[in-house]
Amino acid sequence: MKDYAVIGGGIGGCCAAALLNHRGYNVVLLEKEPTLGGCASTFKHNGYQYNAGATTVSGYNENGIVKKLFNTLNLTPNLIPTDPAIVIVQEGKSVHRYRDVNTFVEELQHLHPHPKHGEFWHLIHRIGETFYTLNGHYYSNASLSKKIISLLSLIPMIRKFLPYLWGDARTFIEKFYGGISQEYRDFLDAQILIVAQEKSDKVNFFTAALSLGYTFNETHYAIGGMGKVCETLTANVSDVRTSSEVLSITRQNDHYVVKTRHSNIEAKNLIMGTSHYSSGRWFEDKEIKNYYQRYTKLDNHQSAFVLYLTLCTQKTFHHHYQLITKEILPKTLSKALFVSFSDSSDTNIAPAGHFSVTASIHTDSRFWLGLAPAQYKREKKELHDLLQAWICDTLAIDSNEIVDSFAATPKTFGRYLNRTQLGGNALSISNFLPRLPSNDTRIKGFYHVGDTAYAAQGWPGVAMGAQNLMKLIHG
Ligand SMILES: Cc1cc2nc3c(=O)[nH]c(=O)nc-3n(C[C@H](O)[C@H](O)[C@H](O)COP(=O)(O)OP(=O)(O)OC[C@H]3O[C@@H](n4cnc5c(N)ncnc54)[C@H](O)[C@@H]3O)c2cc1C
């Protein structure tokens, strides 16, 4: 019998399996797809490789949560720093989000001139720096006593950031600047949205500051694709089973039985690395079904439309761009498209002279899931063509340089990853702790990691949740 069965080999499942294995537990990691990574995986199409969703590693800076995790495991992912972290293109002008605050502020003055930029962006930087040096927080809502311990562990953070926790970021920012233009609001919102999954009117200033400030820490590009980072993470886990879709899970008195197409696996404990909004279907157990039912209200149906391109060109590109326009794009929830290019020297992901491109925009999954097949095909093609044309126009790419091009909707993600809500729980004021599921539950031996549990999405959020899980298991 296994000590732990980890279901789902996304960032969450991989972090949990690696940390438990490191502690000496007998662990099995089960992943439905042939490769690890989930939303942070790398896959093949027409002989070319693509990052499925995630393209940036943040949190691998000194003292960063992701770096600490890899250090604990004595493993080193193959990453290169990216500076600027993003090139933001708005109104035909570009701003490089350099790591150095002053250099970035100087650039910003050309696009959105304002005398208070220095003060504002240094505040953003300071909030991030202070937050990442705080250690020891712990989060569980599985019992009253654990809720109290969680609250006590959060007190140092609450004390330090009190003025930024109440009210919404939009009001705070407007007051700070004494009013801002719609274009600058769009500039800020686009960057807040990709981290917090909400715009400035729905998050507090603390969350907005962490979202806007992540580029002041070292951000990284993953050589060979994001999936390689998950492979490195689990390098020492001896029982990793890909192409092993879990079909059902039953709870026995003191253990769980996990059924895949090939085997029945018995484990004393279960770590779900799958989304809260899709996991209930594998259980008959009433208590577990109720657990998932409780969290359906957090599902915002926010998702992604992703365009994948391979370019054959002699041109050069930065790793990441964010294109911002004036209106929300049709069939989407955003005015901004995030476009990532492979490194020109990274022949592990694209042949020499080629670039692998992943471009994503927020969309509502219900729109795509509700379409009849013919209409779905039409709408998908329309958005694909619109985004491709936008990228080509803005970044001076000729259509004859595109050698492969296709798109994924929330429906596509549902088919491959068993989830249509993407990006995890928004870090909005209304979703704030203790509403967010914790990594433990009231059910014996039943745990969760991943972006729909604490501490939400992306490499830093999901890694923080996995480390919190270890504290909950070991006290
Ligand atoms: C378009 C897009 C761009 C993003 N960009 C970034 C970025 O640049 N940087 C960043 O840090 N974050 C980014 N994110 C967020 C980040 O990718 C996610 O928050 C993170 O990857 C989620 O990891 P997870 O482990 O919670 O879930 P998932 O990635 O969803 O992993 C769950 C895994 O479970 C597997 N699974 C499902 N059902 C079963 C089953 N029955 N049996 C076995 N396995 C199963 C799935 O195949 C999947 O591999 C992005 C997300 C999206 C959608």
Side-chain angles (χ1 to χ4, degrees):
M1 170 144 7
K2 296 283 180 184
D3 295 321
Y4 287 89
V6 182
I7 317 301
I11 298 176
C14 289
C15 288
L19 287 168
L20 289 164
N21 178 72
H22 183 71
R23 284 276 190 151
Y25 292 106
N26 184 6
V27 182
V28 59
L29 174 62
L30 299 165
E31 165 56 42
K32 170 183 176 289
E33 288 297 301
T35 53
L36 295 176
C39 295
S41 61
T42 306
F43 67 95
K44 256 196 179 147
H45 178 271
N46 284 344
Y48 296 109
Q49 293 195 84
Y50 300 93
N51 284 322
T55 53
T56 310
V57 180
S58 56
Y60 198 77
N61 49 299
E62 221 39 61
N63 287 322
I65 192 98
V66 180
K67 183 151 196 183
K68 279 188 199 157
L69 188 140
F70 274 95
N71 286 350
T72 303
L73 300 168
N74 232 340
L75 294 167
T76 310
N78 198 0
L79 303 175
I80 49 172
T82 301
D83 192 18
I86 324 174
V87 176
I88 299 176
V89 187
Q90 189 181 19
E91 294 167 33
K93 292 188 194 156
S94 55
V95 175
H96 294 65
R97 290 277 344 233
Y98 287 117
R99 202 176 153 200
D100 180 70
V101 187
N102 293 327
T103 318
F104 158 63
V105 166
E106 227 171 83
E107 282 238 340
L108 182 62
Q109 293 292 9
H110 299 298
L111 181 58
H112 297 293
H114 202 290
K116 294 203 85 172
H117 279 332
E119 197 187 331
F120 180 78
W121 288 96
H122 276 284
L123 172 63
I124 297 285
H125 183 221
R126 222 169 31 248
I127 290 174
E129 246 185 1
T130 315
F131 173 73
Y132 292 115
T133 54
L134 285 179
N135 280 315
H137 52 93
Y138 159 108
Y139 175 62
S140 168
N141 60 12
S143 68
L144 182 61
S145 60
K146 284 183 172 180
K147 279 183 191 174
I148 293 169
I149 301 171
S150 304
L151 183 66
L152 293 175
S153 84
L154 291 171
I155 283 176
M157 200 175 88
I158 294 172
R159 255 210 220 126
K160 277 221 153 61
F161 301 114
L162 197 62
Y164 314 123
L165 295 175
W166 313 117
D168 68 273
R170 185 166 294 175
T171 309
F172 183 99
I173 293 167
E174 294 278 349
K175 242 193 207 159
F176 187 98
Y177 277 101
I180 57 172
S181 65
Q182 180 61 45
E183 285 72 26
Y184 186 50
R185 186 176 306 127
D186 289 347
F187 175 90
L188 297 174
D189 274 349
Q191 291 167 79
I192 294 169
L193 181 63
I194 56 170
V195 178
Q197 303 301 316
E198 276 291 6
K199 295 180 186 156
S200 57
D201 57 336
K202 297 283 189 309
V203 301
N204 61 29
F205 184 68
F206 170 68
T207 302
L210 294 184
S211 309
L212 290 169
Y214 87 90
T215 52
F216 296 137
N217 297 314
E218 205 169 60
T219 57
H220 289 85
Y221 168 89
I223 301 274
M226 198 55 91
K228 288 266 181 279
V229 186
C230 284
E231 281 175 26
T232 305
L233 198 50
T234 52
N236 296 327
V237 181
S238 58
D239 198 354
V240 176
R241 304 187 199 178
T242 50
S243 302
S244 293
E245 180 171 11
V246 169
L247 302 175
S248 67
I249 306 173
T250 36
R251 178 155 69 135
Q252 309 286 350
N253 279 343
D254 58 350
H255 70 280
Y256 294 84
V257 181
V258 181
K259 185 175 180 326
T260 71
R261 220 173 288 286
H262 318 291
S263 53
N264 282 348
I265 299 153
E266 297 192 333
K268 289 179 209 155
N269 301 284
L270 198 60
I271 314 251
M272 300 302 293
T274 46
S275 156
H276 273 76
Y277 313 123
S278 56
S279 299
R281 67 177 103 163
W282 299 305
F283 296 90
E284 286 304 325
D285 186 281
K286 257 214 168 107
E287 199 181 357
I288 296 180
K289 277 212 169 296
N290 285 342
Y291 166 80
Y292 286 119
Q293 185 58 35
R294 204 167 341 127
Y295 288 113
T296 49
K297 59 180 180 292
L298 294 183
D299 184 355
N300 56 6
H301 307 281
Q302 195 157 275
S303 192
F305 184 95
V306 187
L307 175 67
Y308 305 98
L309 305 172
T310 291
L311 308 179
C312 177
T313 176
Q314 294 307 309
K315 289 173 186 151
T316 56
F317 300 97
H318 288 282
H319 287 142
H320 308 290
Y321 295 84
Q322 191 173 40
L323 317 185
I324 306 176
T325 186
K326 283 179 184 302
E327 304 292 336
I328 291 181
L329 267 88
K331 305 181 245 288
T332 80
L333 298 169
S334 178
K335 300 178 182 178
L337 178 67
F338 197 84
V339 191
S340 297
F341 287 77
S342 57
D343 191 88
S344 57
S345 67
D346 187 2
T347 49
N348 291 312
I349 188 161
H354 291 68
F355 291 90
S356 168
V357 181
T358 298
S360 59
I361 190 161
H362 287 80
T363 189
D364 189 317
S365 62
R366 287 167 296 192
F367 170 74
W368 299 97
L369 297 173
L371 296 174
Q375 201 189 352
Y376 170 80
K377 218 172 151 187
R378 205 168 45 245
E379 302 280 6
K380 184 177 174 185
K381 180 166 178 352
E382 270 179 26
L383 188 53
H384 167 283
D385 293 351
L386 183 75
L387 299 182
Q388 183 171 296
W390 189 13
I391 295 172
C392 288
D393 283 355
T394 314
L395 303 177
I397 296 165
D398 298 328
S399 55
N400 62 11
E401 291 173 311
I402 300 172
V403 296
D404 192 30
S405 173
F406 60 104
T409 70
K411 206 168 172 174
T412 322
F413 279 93
R415 192 162 73 242
Y416 287 101
L417 304 185
N418 271 336
R419 64 183 294 182
T420 55
Q421 193 272 1
L422 295 170
N425 292 331
L427 294 172
S428 60
I429 296 166
S430 58
N431 266 2
F432 226 62
L433 308 178
R435 284 191 83 208
L436 223 53
S438 58
N439 305 109
D440 59 350
T441 69
R442 287 172 190 271
I443 304 158
K444 191 168 178 290
F446 184 70
Y447 301 91
H448 243 288
V449 282
D451 61 10
T452 55
Y454 176 84
Q457 74 118 18
W459 273 101
V462 176
M464 195 182 282
Q467 287 176 343
N468 187 53
L469 170 77
M470 296 306 286
K471 282 186 212 158
L472 296 168
I473 287 174
H474 291 287

